[in-house]
Amino acid sequence: MNKKLAVYICTGCGIGEALDIEKLLKVGTGEGKAPVCKAHTCLCSQAGIDTINNDCQVEGTNTIIIAGCSSRVNQDAFTFDTSKIIERVNLREQVIWSQPANNEDTQMMAEDYLRMGIVKAQKTELPEPFKPNEDISKTILVIGGGMAGMTASIEAAYAGYEVVLVEKEGVLGGFSARLYKQFPNQPFSLELQEVSHQEKIKEIESIERIKVYTSAKIEKIAGGPGLFDVTLKHKGENVQFRVGAIVLAAGFEPYDPAKLSHLGYGKSANVITSSLMEELAKNGKIKRPSDGKEVKAVAFIQCAGSRDKDLLPYCSTFCCMTSLKQAMYVREQNQEAIAYIFYKDMRTMGLYEDFYIRAQEDEGIFFTKGEIASIEPTQADNLTVTANKTLFGRDIIVEVDMVVLATGIVPTTAIKRIIEEAPIEEKKEEPTVPQDAIIKSDILNLDYRQGPELPGLRYGFPDSHFICFPYETRRTGIYAAGCVRHPMDMAAAMDDAAGAALKAIQCIELTAKGQAVHPRVGDMTYPDLFMQRCTQCKRCTDECPFGALNEDEKFNPLPNITRCRRCGTCMGACPERIISFKNYSIDIVGSSFKAIEVPEEDEKKPRILAFMCENDAIPALDMAGVKRLSYTPYVRVVPVRCLGSINLVWIADALSKGIDGILLIGCKYGDDYQCHFVKGSELANYRLSKVKETLDRLRLESERVKIVQLSINEYDLLPGIFNEFMETMEKVGPNPFKGF
Amino acid sequence: MKDKIIKPDLGFIKEIIAGGGESLKKCYQCATCSVRCSLSPDNEPFPRKEMIKAQWGMKKELLASPDIWLCHQCGDCTTYCPRGAKPGEVLSAIRRLAISHYGFPGFLSRWIGKPKFLPFLLFIPALFLGLAILVKKPLFDKLGIESSVSQKIIFASTTIFPHWLLNSFFAFFSCLAFLSIIIGTIRFWSAMKAQDKGTSPAKSLVKSLILALKRIITHEDFSQCTTNKWRFLAHSLVFFGFIGLSFVSIWVITSSFNPLFQKGLVYPFNLLNPLKIMANLGGVAIVVGCLLMIWNRLKQKNIGTYFDWFFILVLLAVGLSGFATEIFHYARVDTLKVIVYFIHLVFVFILLMYLPYSKFAHLFYRAIALIYAEYSGRSNETK
């Protein structure tokens, strides 16, 4: 592409009054050598846009630098056709709204940002959407034929997509097929309902677009979004097909009651789990297992193993409702029969409270909070349940025919089914990046370098903790729905399924256009690896938060672009600096900050560089400007896709240029991370721990580089962060490399 | 361990629900009621624990609890209950069951609680009084009593009812009722003792009695209600009105053989006689008090049960029919006087004879519970 630059400086919103526009224009025409360089009083107006378009036609400009407001605003106005490269320079929020007007330092800041923008535009190339060599499939694979899986299939099919539904059991229905009745899943309904899986199965059978495989198991999934090559084992034969995206609705299994011997499990056949209770109810009259006697008194033990840090630490959300329902089974069977419910807390959210009230109003259902001290069999095969810390203010004992343990749920992804033969030999290298624990649950069997299943967030749930974005997992194109994602009841699982199906559709459509999925939706750039210089160090394949890169047998990275989220973590990781995007590379970013004019030491105008995450830190900085919060004029901000994309070479480059200090401001990491690419800020922190070597080599103080975690709402902290770092720099003194 | 096993009594739960505690099962044990109650002791406060015991049908424990009687049903708990479980109403229903449980003989207790027996309950006194009228003449002849003796007592002895006959008639039945209530309260006391097995008394019995009487007479428990402040007034009026009327009645009945009392008593009294003034004031207090209670129940809607209304209406009927008799007497409308007097006597009979089984029994059970509360150290020293 033959570039012809045009620089436009908007003088609206007070920019014209606060800055010397003539001098700014000189930066454009002089250093920038831009053939077109204009100021306009209101660039986002139709007149402004017309000016730009006119120059494109008349002068043939195709690389447009717009210096004015933040790139986060007026995006509609400044959208041009795809043959143009657009670079926006923020003179409003980040300069005149946060710095004093008509000030030498303010002017220098504006000029530096313009220089950075021009260099970036000069280096940027037009992105071309990624088109794989093979055909992209728009079929959706749904794994799991329970309520969530069936709903996802139906929703996707009605939206016009082919669906393959895979179920490991011989029939569809999942856990709901095991139920006798279901609790009401409609608002204000208080009656037990017939289980609705049969209707769903009929609906599925009536839809031609849905291909169902029961008694099937996934042997292997290779490829990525649009190109997933699935191998199924079905009736002893391998079936192969290609799908575009995957909805994982593999459900849950009840918590293993063998660990509940403290609640009498195993001591008597009459201590059962709530899932066995459903079976008993399904077989007609509820009879206890030991002698087939019809039950007259049943105790339900809530949170059996749940909400216990040593067993199952979380709440499974629907066990309270299940026990209320089963207590009603007992009462419906015999009006003289009674049910006790021992709970830690009754959790019947939302309108389910009405159902709880209904159960409470039944004179034969008795509730008490309490801790179960013991459950012991009596000689008559009965059981005595002793509870302490009850609402009676004392210990109580009841004698019952049967005890039902309301066990929680474990996502199928948390159950290890493939046991490794031999442990992998321990590497005694330098400490590597903390790796994700992947439980080999034998569900997806992904042919991925980082492991065959989804990395979990906590407790084996394959959630990704994407801020505000449910269904996303850590593997692009695979969306979790239902209880495999987190505990939920049937109604919620069905809603979830519809959501995940829509995410799968979005993924397929974006992938077909060669664009990125969440969170960089629509981004058409993608990582380009200059393989000749690759040293097979495996850092990119190790560190990619989404497992996008596979490896060949010689450890060469094999990118799967459709899996890529375009965060640039690989670019930050690569010591050979061979990974780049068309508009984002080591060179583009490095050159842009090298364009900053660093004053001589005796001018007493230090310079600090702030690499800031585009997702949260940059919006926070804009917000600080909107709120007119003021901070040091010596800071220069470099937006980055993610802190994970920061290559250590930038730090070395910046310091050798004479920049006094470097701040990295990104999202919070750790258990409750807010990083939009899951691990970026954590990786940046890890890499910085190694930057000391670089600093030592340059004989610089380690205080010169600092990483800060910031939430999007903490804009008010930014001036303090900048100013404090500036003070530190004053104490440390100027960078001795200035002027070299 | 065996005796510690809780066995819910489903029938008892149903009885509470049927007897005005239909909101019982709504309680979710937040204890707003106990916090709100100004009468509840700091240690093991009520009515939260009573609510769960009632939900669990723990009949024995509840009926042997003084706490259900320490409640004066001011309604603070019911007003503030976030779930509409109406603890006040539930305790009231439990108290009703306690009266029925301890009442002797049991069948009478059951009759009082059921509206279908009302005609029968009215019929019994009417029958007795009717018989008394019928047997009067043969009895007079047999005993050799001259009618002229009673003729002097203008008010009571319209020729139909001789004063002495009525006196002995009511005295006899009152003694029966009193005996019955004594049996009931003794049962209650021993049940409370049995429940608190092993704990030693906090105060002497005499001191407890004095303290309890002070609490009853001063109505101090009523004065602590915040939701229904009027109840202090209404209950005081009825309580002292009844005391006043009882005093006058006993004076009159016992005058002929009580040496302490003035001989040559002329009955009915002159309107300005201190005793007559006391009786009239007592009557007014009862009527006004009852009307206040009725007005409040109607205002609050859905408050009260048949059991509750039975007592108030009987009391009101006694008061109103008494005044009607008095008015017709002074107006010299003899026929009407005889009719309303008969009605008055029927209601007095109902009030007194059915005392051990009606809500009236609360006078005794609550008194016993208050004594026991002092005795066992259940009450707050200062509040």
Side-chain angles (χ1 to χ4, degrees), chain A residues 70-142:
Chain A
S70 163
S71 61
R72 295 175 50 77
V73 297
N74 284 330
Q75 285 172 343
D76 297 354
F78 298 129
T79 299
F80 299 91
D81 66 79
T82 48
S83 66
K84 309 278 183 298
I85 290 169
I86 312 294
E87 181 62 32
R88 293 184 61 184
V89 175
N90 188 345
L91 297 182
R92 192 176 71 170
E93 286 85 347
Q94 287 179 26
V95 182
I96 63 147
W97 280 359
S98 51
Q99 302 298 333
N102 301 314
N103 178 290
E104 185 193 6
D105 287 327
T106 309
Q107 182 71 23
M108 288 171 99
M109 193 183 219
E111 288 175 13
D112 274 347
Y113 281 143
L114 187 58
R115 283 184 195 107
M116 289 163 76
I118 290 170
V119 169
K120 230 175 138 186
Q122 282 168 340
K123 300 250 172 190
T124 295
E125 286 172 52
L126 262 188
E128 291 156 30
F130 176 77
K131 294 277 181 211
N133 299 328
E134 299 151 89
D135 283 342
I136 280 188
S137 164
K138 290 197 174 183
T139 304
I140 292 171
L141 169 67
V142 178

Side-chain angles (χ1 to χ4, degrees), chain A residues 38 79 101 164 215 225 279-280 295 419 461 482 538 700:
Chain A
K38 293 179 179 171
T79 299
V164 179
S215 307
E279 272 178 44
L280 295 181
V295 292
I419 315 293
F461 288 100
K538 300 197 284 183
L700 287 171

Side-chain angles (χ1 to χ4, degrees), chain A residues 335-336 338 340 353 357 360-368 384 391-392 394 396-399, chain B residues 1 4-6 8 10 13-14 17 25-29 48 52-53 55-58 61 83:
Chain A
Q335 273 302 301
E336 293 305 309
I338 54 176
Y340 302 92
E353 185 76 356
I357 292 172
Q360 278 180 310
E361 286 183 353
D362 187 325
E363 62 259 18
I365 304 179
F366 305 109
F367 293 87
T368 185
T384 52
L391 291 169
F392 296 91
R394 58 176 163 86
I396 60 164
I397 305 170
V398 294
E399 189 171 341
Chain B
M1 187 182 103
K4 278 192 191 162
I5 293 179
I6 292 175
L10 268 182
I13 301 168
K14 285 178 187 157
I17 289 171
K25 295 290 275 188
K26 286 197 166 84
C27 170
Y28 61 2
Q29 292 287 300
R48 200 248 341 138
I52 190 162
K53 284 178 184 173
Q55 286 181 332
W56 279 59
M58 291 158 77
E61 282 193 31
R83 259 214 171 177

Side-chain angles (χ1 to χ4, degrees), chain A residues 392 394, chain B residues 4 6 50 53 58-66 68 195:
Chain A
F392 296 91
R394 58 176 163 86
Chain B
K4 278 192 191 162
I6 292 175
E50 279 64 31
K53 284 178 184 173
M58 291 158 77
K59 182 176 180 178
K60 202 174 147 224
E61 282 193 31
L62 280 174
L63 296 187
S65 155
I68 57 169
Q195 182 120 305

Side-chain angles (χ1 to χ4, degrees), chain B residues 265-277:
Chain B
L265 176 103
V266 179
Y267 194 83
F269 303 117
N270 184 296
L271 267 178
L272 293 175
N273 183 305
L275 283 172
K276 187 70 189 173
I277 292 172

Side-chain angles (χ1 to χ4, degrees), chain A residues 123-427:
Chain A
K123 300 250 172 190
T124 295
E125 286 172 52
L126 262 188
E128 291 156 30
F130 176 77
K131 294 277 181 211
N133 299 328
E134 299 151 89
D135 283 342
I136 280 188
S137 164
K138 290 197 174 183
T139 304
I140 292 171
L141 169 67
V142 178
I143 300 172
M147 290 306 264
M150 290 195 287
T151 309
S153 306
I154 292 168
E155 295 291 339
Y158 284 161
Y161 291 82
E162 298 290 324
V163 175
V164 179
L165 174 57
V166 177
E167 165 60 47
K168 71 175 189 315
E169 301 292 333
V171 286
L172 293 178
F175 196 79
S176 55
R178 297 196 222 165
L179 304 179
Y180 167 51
K181 283 187 180 170
Q182 69 186 41
F183 50 77
N185 58 6
Q186 283 149 357
F188 312 116
S189 168
L190 297 179
E191 298 311 312
L192 297 184
Q193 298 174 351
E194 294 305 317
V195 192
S196 48
H197 67 286
Q198 292 295 356
E199 293 164 36
K200 286 263 178 210
I201 294 173
K202 272 190 203 132
E203 199 172 352
I204 289 212
E205 282 166 355
S206 72
I207 302 172
E208 273 181 32
R209 283 205 186 95
I210 304 175
K211 167 94 182 116
V212 180
Y213 289 101
T214 50
S215 307
K217 181 183 166 297
I218 288 166
E219 291 286 298
K220 191 171 116 175
I221 298 177
L227 306 165
F228 284 118
D229 286 319
V230 183
T231 310
L232 271 191
K233 192 101 175 171
H234 181 241
K235 293 183 180 165
E237 283 174 28
N238 278 353
V239 185
Q240 286 182 322
F241 51 90
R242 171 166 285 184
V243 298
I246 299 168
V247 173
L248 176 70
F252 68 94
E253 286 191 8
Y255 182 70
D256 180 8
K259 294 170 189 160
L260 303 176
S261 57
H262 64 290
L263 295 177
Y265 192 84
K267 283 187 204 165
S268 160
N270 294 334
V271 179
I272 64 167
T273 62
S274 26
S275 41
L276 182 58
M277 180 67 168
E278 291 293 336
E279 272 178 44
L280 295 181
K282 240 184 156 176
N283 296 339
K285 290 271 181 190
I286 301 170
K287 292 172 183 161
R288 66 183 192 183
S290 75
D291 54 6
K293 185 188 142 204
E294 254 184 52
V295 292
K296 291 270 171 56
V298 180
F300 292 88
I301 315 297
Q302 297 310 109
C303 294
S306 296
R307 301 173 64 206
D308 180 330
K309 65 176 170 27
D310 299 321
L311 299 170
L312 201 61
Y314 49 86
C315 164
S316 293
T317 71
F318 60 77
C319 330
C320 284
M321 286 295 283
T322 300
S323 290
L324 294 176
K325 175 185 75 169
Q326 293 180 347
M328 287 178 192
Y329 294 171
V330 174
R331 292 280 298 152
E332 274 173 12
Q333 169 171 322
N334 182 347
Q335 273 302 301
E336 293 305 309
I338 54 176
Y340 302 92
I341 296 184
F342 292 91
Y343 58 84
K344 279 185 194 170
D345 300 284
M346 287 304 284
R347 293 184 165 182
T348 51
M349 297 301 157
L351 294 172
Y352 286 148
E353 185 76 356
D354 289 355
F355 188 74
Y356 175 28
I357 292 172
R358 194 206 133 181
Q360 278 180 310
E361 286 183 353
D362 187 325
E363 62 259 18
I365 304 179
F366 305 109
F367 293 87
T368 185
K369 194 181 176 81
E371 283 177 11
I372 302 301
S374 76
I375 294 176
E376 295 295 337
T378 67
Q379 283 172 349
D381 262 359
N382 289 352
L383 295 148
T384 52
V385 180
T386 309
N388 47 37
K389 298 188 183 168
T390 67
L391 291 169
F392 296 91
R394 58 176 163 86
D395 297 358
I396 60 164
I397 305 170
V398 294
E399 189 171 341
V400 292
D401 299 323
M402 194 166 82
V403 167
V404 179
L405 303 177
T407 47
I409 66 160
V410 178
T412 48
T413 48
I415 299 163
K416 191 172 177 177
R417 292 192 191 76
I418 299 178
I419 315 293
E420 249 102 52
E421 293 96 38
I424 307 156
E425 57 182 272
E426 277 184 39
K427 290 179 265 180

